């Protein structure tokens, strides 16, 4: 029987994920961007952003496009280098409320892949 996925305390998430989540909540692109590996990919809203420059642009765009609050509702460790974070967002975006699943893959302690989906 596999030990994964396992529910974990959000305080037990790896530093790169915690740094990203904290920076995103503060709308701090300069703090969020270094959490990603140089060749990382982010898939959000049906679009994939590849590499540090594209991810920094994506971070900046999403921080200025809408105003919202984020509540972390659960965290799971899916494998030694894979984590899922569940978040509830409320704001002035279409629909006003959404529950998201953020799937992280770590590479050398940094975020190598992030996939965000409802």
């Amino acid at each position: 029987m596999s030990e994964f996925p396992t529910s974990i305390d959000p305080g037990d998430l790896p530093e790169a994920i915690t740094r990203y989540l904290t920076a995103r909540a503060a709308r701090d692109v300069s703090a969020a961007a270094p959490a990603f590996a140089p060749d990382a990919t982010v898939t959000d809203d049906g679009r994939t952003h590849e590499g540090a420059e594209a991810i920094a642009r994506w971070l900046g765009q999403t921080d200025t496009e809408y105003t919202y609050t984020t509540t972390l509702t659960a965290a799971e460790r899916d494998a030694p280098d894979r984590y899922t974070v569940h978040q509830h967002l409320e704001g002035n975006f279409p629909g006003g409320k959404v529950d998201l699943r953020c799937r992280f893959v770590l590479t050398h302690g940094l975020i190598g892949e992030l996939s965000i989906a409802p």
Side-chain angles (χ1 to χ4, degrees), residues 67-81:
T67 301
Y68 57 90
T69 59
T70 304
T71 304
L72 196 150
T73 57
E76 301 164 355
R77 187 173 186 193
D78 303 316
D81 61 348

Side-chain angles (χ1 to χ4, degrees), residues 2-66:
S2 174
E3 63 183 272
F4 298 111
T6 303
S7 291
I8 61 171
D9 184 283
D12 293 334
L13 286 166
E15 189 274 335
I17 296 173
T18 301
R19 182 173 9 139
Y20 164 78
L21 294 172
T22 301
R24 294 294 287 161
R27 311 282 193 278
D28 186 347
V29 172
S30 63
F36 289 89
D39 59 348
T41 61
V42 173
T43 302
D44 179 32
D45 203 23
R47 294 183 187 99
T48 299
H49 311 275
E50 298 180 36
E53 288 183 30
I55 290 171
R57 280 193 305 273
W58 166 76
L59 288 165
Q61 178 185 3
T62 59
D63 281 351
T64 59
E65 195 169 4
Y66 301 110

Side-chain angles (χ1 to χ4, degrees), residues 73-93:
T73 57
E76 301 164 355
R77 187 173 186 193
D78 303 316
D81 61 348
R82 296 173 185 266
Y83 294 82
T84 300
V85 173
H86 301 268
Q87 295 181 306
H88 178 75
L89 276 65
E90 291 190 26
N92 66 349
F93 50 86

